[in-house]
Amino acid sequence: MEESSSSSIGIRIFDELPTAKDFDTLIELSNVPAVFRGCTKSWKAFSHWNPSNGGLDYLQARVGSCTVEAMISQSAPVFYGDLGSHQRVPLPFSNFLDFCKKRTQMQSKGIDHYPASQTHDDTKHACLAFEDAPEQIYLAQVPIMNSDRQENVQLETLKEDIQTPLILTSKELSSINLWMNNAHAKSSTHYDPHHNLLCIVSGCKRVVLWPPSASPSLYPMPIYGEASNHSSVSLENPDYSIYPRAECSMEFAQKVVLQAGDALFIPEGWFHQVDSDDLTIAINFWWRSNMMSCMLEHMDAYYLRRILRRLIDKEMDQLLLKLGLRTRMWKCELPKADHADLNDGKLLKGMDLKEKSLKERNTLQELEPAAVQVLHELVSLVHNSVNANQDGQSLSTSTNGYELVVNDKFEKIVNADFKDDPVAKFLWDINPQTLQDVFLAMVHNFPRTLEALVLHVLSPVGAEVLTRKFDEMDQHTLEEDRNGFYEAFYSAFDDQSAAMNSILKGKELFTQQAFKNVLDKFVGVNLES
C-alpha cells in the first residue's frame, strides 16, 4: 500500500488500493476519509460510460428502456435533500440521456447554459414540464443493488459493468447506487448512516467534508424530522444571524477534488457537500460499519446515556473555557489592599452587624498579601451584588441574571451566555490554595458574607467553578486537612444542609444548561424556543 501524500487537513491519499486487511485496520477503523487514485480505471464502466467517448449511446442501448426515479429541484444547481425542497418523479432513463446528449452538443458549441425556461406558477405542472428545465434534474441514489428492497432496483443490469473494489469484498453491502447529473449540481450538506465509497466513473466532483464533531457549526436538522441527517444552513445565502456558529464551519472542513477513476471513502456520520461538474457519473457503495453492526439493541439506552454524558462534560468544559478567556480580558490590576481597607466600616455597609463582632484580626494578619487582596475583592463583590438587589426586595428575588425562588426549594435559571457573572469569573482565576485560605478567613471574620455568597450570589456557573476549585484543593491536601477545611467552611452556615443543597442545585442547573446546548448543537433540538 503506497500512500503518496497526507493532506494537512487529514484526508489520506493513496496512489493504489490497499489490501482489504489494511483498509479494515488502518483506514475504516480510524473513521477518517481516504482517497484512492485510479480505483475505477479497470472497470468496464470507466471506458464504456464516458460521455465523450460514446458512453451515452452505450447506456441508452443497455438501460434506456428503464424508468428511474429522478430528483427535481427548482433550487438547482443546489439540490437539497429534505422532502420539502425537492420532488421525486418517474423518468424514462432514455429521456435523461437525451438531456445529457443535448448538454454535450451545447458544450461543443461553447454554450454553457440551457435557454431560460418558462416560468410555471403551479409547482406540480413545473415538475411535469421538466423537459423545459433539464438542469433541474438529478439522478441521485438510483439503485443498482439494494439488499433490503431488491424489487425497487432499477438499473441492476449495470452491475455487470462495475467491480466491487477488493477492499469491500468482505463487506455485506447495503446498496450500490448510480449518481448522474447532466448540468452542474450541488448537494446539500448531510451525513449518511453508513460507510460510503464514492467512485467517480466520469467527470469531476469536489467534496467538502466535516467530522461529526463539527455538527454544532452545521446545525443538523431536528432528530425527529425526516431529514435529520441534513444541515439546516442554506448553501446559497446562509443567514448567519440565525446560524451564527456556521460562520466558522469551514475551519473544520476538509476538501478534496475527485477526478474520473478516483474513489473517496466517506466514513459514517461525516458531513459532506458535493459539487459535481456537468455530465458527471459516479457509483457509490454503502455498507454498515462494524461498530453499528456489533451494537446490541438492549444496550442502546446505556450507550445513549454514556455518549450524552460525555458530550455534556465536554460542553461544560467549553463553557468554562470561554469563561476563562473572558476572565483574562476582564481582569485588571487590582489596587493593593492593606489591613486598613478590610477594617473600613464602609466595606461592611448594609451587611449584618453580626460579621463585625466575629472578626478575628489575628486570622487576617496571617494571610499572605495576595490572599488579602483576594479576600478584599471577593467580599466587595458579594456586598455589591447583595446591595444591588436590595431595592425594596429580599434576597429571594432575581439576582445576577438568574432567579432564586425560596419555598423550601429554590431554582436558579442560568443565563445562557454567562456574561454578567463577576463572582464566577473571579473565582475561576484564583489559585485553589489561596482560595482555601480566603474561605477560612471568611469563616472567622465574614461568615454572613460567605453565607450570602453561597446562598444568594453564587450562580449555577459559579457553583460549578466553586466545586472544581474544591476538587483542586483536595488534590493537594491530606485527608485530615480536607475534613477540617470542609467542617470549618460549612460551620459558617446556620443551615449546613441548605448550603450544600444550594451548591448541588447550582451544579445541576449548570449541567442542565450544558445538556440543552448538546441537544441544540448535536441533535437539532432547541428546548429554549
Side-chain angles (χ1 to χ4, degrees):
M1 178 176 63
E2 183 178 348
E3 186 174 354
S4 63
S5 64
S6 293
S7 168
S8 60
I9 50 176
I11 298 178
R12 303 177 68 183
I13 301 177
F14 299 88
D15 289 334
E16 60 184 32
L17 207 60
T19 65
K21 181 179 178 181
D22 284 343
F23 176 78
D24 291 347
T25 58
L26 302 179
I27 301 172
E28 182 179 1
L29 196 60
S30 66
N31 225 52
V32 174
V35 174
F36 309 107
R37 300 297 187 194
C39 179
T40 68
K41 287 187 175 181
S42 62
W43 291 6
K44 182 179 179 180
F46 183 79
S47 57
H48 285 61
W49 296 6
N50 190 337
S52 62
N53 192 31
L56 299 178
D57 290 331
Y58 173 84
L59 290 171
Q60 184 89 287
R62 290 277 285 169
V63 290
S65 61
C66 296
T67 297
V68 296
E69 191 176 67
M71 186 178 183
I72 311 296
S73 173
Q74 294 190 32
S75 64
V78 179
F79 289 81
Y80 291 99
D82 60 291
L83 292 178
S85 300
H86 73 274
Q87 293 192 13
R88 289 187 174 271
V89 298
L91 173 70
F93 194 37
S94 58
N95 287 20
F96 180 78
L97 292 172
D98 288 339
F99 300 149
C100 294
K101 291 177 182 178
K102 184 178 180 181
R103 165 67 64 174
T104 302
Q105 295 169 1
M106 289 169 53
Q107 288 179 337
S108 66
K109 296 177 181 179
I111 302 174
D112 294 330
H113 303 285
Y114 287 101
S117 58
Q118 181 181 353
T119 300
H120 300 277
D121 294 330
D122 184 81
T123 303
K124 182 177 181 180
H125 181 59
C127 289
L128 293 176
F130 49 72
E131 293 88 347
D132 294 334
E135 72 277 3
Q136 296 182 0
I137 304 172
Y138 184 29
L139 298 190
Q141 197 179 325
V142 180
I144 294 175
M145 186 279 284
N146 189 304
S147 61
D148 295 328
R149 303 176 64 185
Q150 188 62 29
E151 69 279 4
N152 293 332
V153 173
Q154 299 156 6
L155 299 176
E156 185 175 13
T157 303
L158 293 182
K159 191 175 180 181
E160 300 172 4
D161 293 350
I162 63 177
Q163 300 170 18
T164 301
L166 294 177
I167 57 176
L168 303 184
T169 51
S170 64
K171 311 298 182 187
E172 186 176 340
L173 297 177
S174 300
S175 63
I176 304 173
N177 306 288
L178 171 76
W179 304 74
M180 187 172 179
N181 54 286
N182 78 97
H184 175 224
K186 298 166 67 75
S187 73
S188 59
T189 304
H190 67 287
Y191 68 85
D192 297 314
H194 294 82
H195 283 329
N196 182 5
L197 188 68
L198 177 63
C199 303
I200 313 302
V201 176
S202 68
C204 175
K205 286 183 182 283
R206 295 166 179 82
V207 186
V208 185
L209 301 112
W210 293 264
S213 58
S215 294
S217 67
L218 299 173
Y219 292 87
M221 291 187 177
I223 193 68
Y224 50 77
E226 52 82 22
S228 60
N229 62 322
H230 283 259
S231 169
S232 300
V233 184
S234 169
L235 284 181
E236 299 162 295
N237 298 299
D239 189 339
Y240 296 130
S241 65
I242 299 177
Y243 307 110
R245 294 190 301 270
E247 200 162 8
C248 63
S249 63
M250 294 309 294
E251 295 178 11
F252 310 102
Q254 306 178 36
K255 300 179 181 180
V256 64
V257 178
L258 303 175
Q259 303 290 350
D262 295 339
L264 170 65
F265 170 57
I266 305 176
E268 64 176 351
W270 276 70
F271 283 88
H272 49 283
Q273 187 275 314
V274 183
D275 280 18
S276 302
D277 285 358
D278 294 352
L279 296 171
T280 294
I281 305 174
I283 296 292
N284 90 297
F285 299 83
W286 270 327
W287 71 98
R288 201 177 187 194
S289 69
N290 287 333
M291 187 194 73
M292 293 305 299
S293 298
C294 296
M295 187 175 288
L296 302 175
E297 286 190 17
H298 72 272
M299 295 295 290
D300 285 354
Y302 168 71
Y303 293 141
L304 174 64
R305 293 179 67 88
R306 282 297 302 269
I307 292 171
L308 274 176
R309 183 69 241 191
R310 185 158 63 178
L311 289 172
I312 290 168
D313 289 342
K314 186 175 181 179
E315 176 66 17
M316 291 166 68
D317 289 340
Q318 290 176 344
L319 288 173
L320 292 179
L321 177 61
K322 291 178 184 178
L323 177 66
L325 293 173
R326 288 176 184 150
T327 299
R328 287 191 285 275
M329 291 185 292
W330 164 84
K331 188 180 177 183
C332 60
E333 287 295 324
L334 294 173
K336 286 191 175 182
D338 58 27
H339 302 301
D341 292 323
L342 290 170
N343 293 329
D344 192 337
K346 293 181 180 179
L347 185 64
L348 303 178
K349 185 178 180 181
M351 298 302 293
D352 193 334
L353 293 178
K354 183 178 180 182
E355 292 199 352
K356 293 183 179 179
S357 63
L358 289 177
K359 286 191 300 178
E360 297 181 4
R361 288 184 173 85
N362 290 336
T363 304
L364 294 178
Q365 291 170 352
E366 293 174 359
L367 288 177
E368 295 290 335
V372 172
Q373 184 174 333
V374 170
L375 175 60
H376 171 76
E377 183 69 11
L378 182 56
V379 171
S380 296
L381 284 171
V382 174
H383 289 191
N384 292 339
S385 180
V386 170
N387 290 334
N389 290 279
Q390 282 189 322
D391 296 333
Q393 303 178 33
S394 69
L395 288 177
S396 62
T397 60
S398 66
T399 64
N400 211 29
Y402 60 94
E403 282 188 349
L404 182 61
V405 181
V406 179
N407 283 321
D408 294 332
K409 295 181 179 180
F410 68 87
E411 279 208 26
K412 297 176 181 177
I413 301 175
V414 181
N415 180 330
D417 291 330
F418 305 124
K419 286 181 178 177
D420 301 317
D421 200 336
V423 173
K425 293 177 182 179
F426 186 78
L427 294 176
W428 177 257
D429 214 31
I430 303 302
N431 177 280
Q433 185 56 58
T434 299
L435 190 59
Q436 186 179 61
D437 293 340
V438 168
F439 282 150
L440 289 174
M442 292 180 74
V443 168
H444 295 294
N445 295 275
F446 305 105
R448 298 288 70 77
T449 299
L450 182 58
E451 187 173 57
L453 168 66
V454 172
L455 295 180
H456 306 303
V457 175
L458 205 62
S459 68
V461 66
E464 178 64 26
V465 170
L466 177 62
T467 54
R468 292 196 179 205
K469 290 296 179 181
F470 283 164
D471 291 340
E472 292 178 31
M473 295 175 194
D474 293 346
Q475 292 174 11
H476 301 90
T477 309
L478 297 176
E479 182 177 359
E480 182 178 353
D481 293 333
R482 284 200 300 269
N483 295 338
F485 166 73
Y486 289 117
E487 182 178 352
F489 180 86
Y490 286 108
S491 70
F493 300 90
D494 292 334
D495 187 340
Q496 296 186 16
S497 296
M500 295 178 184
N501 289 337
S502 178
I503 296 172
L504 177 62
K505 187 66 174 179
K507 278 181 61 67
E508 289 178 346
L509 284 166
F510 177 73
T511 306
Q512 184 182 75
Q513 181 62 49
F515 170 67
K516 291 178 180 179
N517 292 356
V518 166
L519 291 184
D520 177 40
K521 292 179 177 181
F522 296 97
V523 190
V525 176
N526 189 343
L527 297 181
E528 304 292 347
S529 60

